[in-house]
Amino acid sequence: MRMIPATIALMLALSTFASAGDWRGLFSSDLRATEHELETRRAELAALGDPVVGNTAPQFGYQTNQRPVPPPESPWVQVDLGSSQQIDTIALVPVLVDFQPLDRGAYGFPKRFRVDVSNEASFGDFTPLFVHTDDDFPSPGVAPVVVDAECKARFVRVTVTKPAEENHTFFVALGELMVLQKNRNIALGGRVKSSDSVNLPPRWDQSNLTDGRTPLGPPIRNGVMPEFDAIFVNSPAGSSPVWMAVDLGREMALDEVRLHPLHARQGADVPGFRFPLQFRVELAALADFSDARVLFQTANSDYPNPGNNPVTINASGQSGRYVRVVLIKAEIPTVAEFALSELEVQAFGRRVSTGCEVSTSGDTKRDPPRPITQLTDGFTSYGKLMELPEWLDEWARRSSLHASIRGLEKLLPHRITVAERRAAWTGAGSAIVLSLGIAALTLRARRVRAHEQERFRNRLARDLHDEIGSNLAGIAVLSETAAQPGGENEGDLQEIHRIAKESSEAMREVLWLVGARQEMGIDLGTQMQTAAARLLPGRAIRWLRLPEHLPASWSMDTRRQVFLFFKEALTNIVRHARADSVEISAGVTGGLFELRIKDNGRGFDVATAPAGLGLHSLRDRAKSLNGNFTIESMPGSGTLVILTIPNC
């Protein structure tokens, strides 16, 4: 009779899934799991936002010569950090060329390669950090490949054992090699040496590997942007110097100054808009810059437009409170003007300029006006600034999600096919299932009842054997001894009397456990106290908490298992502990029933103790109660047995 509601439930579930458009998931847990995982991964990827990717500067990176056959020796390229320094992370940024769509593989990225570090330029002695030379490395697309380092070295080398192959030529291309020490890229401007290089500036040159110009732009997270994110400073040509300055609030030792260009978003799409052709960066302790020191100044030639990439200036720990950018040569000769989206200052391994006070030399008027506070608001032209390690971690997570989604999408068609096939089988077999359902349920119910009866008989037989059999055997032995002439029959007969009395009490316990009517008035707590007195004669028994008010709602089987666990634990004390004192506590606390039995016996090493019948039986009974069984003991320190079960 239960088949009819079950069939109705199945039909309702099918109707629900069909209306939702994903009915096939009802027939395949693998399909449901794949679809759920795919939805979760896509949502996480969407939460990261779309990255701002694209070349905004003419420098592409480093490339080896293209050959019709693989090179006879493995090409390598290395960066000199100037001195042995702490290295936290190394990142290899792929190349993005003009004709390359974002969804294709990385241009010229090596198939098999390794990353090593050394304090010797010859790499006679080196430490491998990343080795992927046995199989092809999956194309990273435009995402940087991040290598954990945690080492100290001066030179970083990438050795390629299998180059990329495109258009029947073999070569290697890398956009940037970044070496992070906390929040700084200490490879910026580092001297580059290679075994093979194409020198076609500005696009291809080995120095491009450490110029800070990549298709990834600044470390930002794309998101909601202010209406404007740059300030302009200008004055008629020939007037007083034009500058922007930031007050850090106090004097401090600086790590870096980063100038973030403006990428015009209103009107013409121009990266590096109004970036100065020539400029200098000053540091001072006084607001009037009378004590100014020059951190950086361009040469006589014009500074190449950085596009969206930040221009990073190493401050080398010099101290100051005020940082100023001074225009030397403007993009438009007739108007002394330049623009920046952010003037970022790094100190103490973090950004310290966000929200700091800004001042300028002159006119910043624009229509509509732009507040000068945008110079330190933490936003560049296309996103909110991030610290470099966080930015690389986000790129690594984005790459992992893309790979996971591709793998799940490949699994999906096969699992949909399997689900549809199972749905067809289910429809064809539903008539048979309905016709045989009632008979199957009836037969199953009979088997369950028979199984329960068999289990009950086995438990009763085991309990009678354990409780009564051993006592009756003792009576037989003592009776035989008492019948011998000249024996001290009086003591033996007293022992026979004691064992017979214990057998009677044990039989009453068994009757109570199975719910005999004449024993129903005895509660579990009383039985536990009686059993403790009977099983531990001659030992001091201290009840720390009497087993009163135990749950009346417990089933017969729950009472039985708790009581037999209790007796088994006491029997182990008698057989093995050599104890003369036992402390017992039993009761309900916080929704849990807890039984604690502690003796002062000889104890044992729990880790090396053999799995005897006693401990095995205790564990089985605790498991049948959905409870926890723990035992604490050390040689010479007694034993503590704890049983906790839900108060059901």
Side-chain angles (χ1 to χ4, degrees), residues 542-548 584-590 592 594-595:
R542 182 185 177 195
W543 285 89
L544 302 178
R545 186 180 183 187
L546 293 173
E548 299 173 346
I584 307 174
S585 171
V588 177
T589 303
L592 290 177
E594 182 179 71
L595 172 64

Side-chain angles (χ1 to χ4, degrees), residues 231 243-250 287 289 321-324 343 345 352-360 372-377:
I231 68 169
W243 51 265
M244 304 174 183
V246 172
D247 179 3
L248 301 176
R250 64 182 179 89
F289 280 82
R321 172 174 174 172
Y322 302 92
V323 178
R324 181 167 70 174
L343 199 164
V345 181
V352 296
S353 53
T354 304
C356 288
E357 184 179 348
V358 178
S359 58
T360 66
I372 62 175
T373 54
Q374 289 183 326
L375 191 64
T376 57
D377 64 353

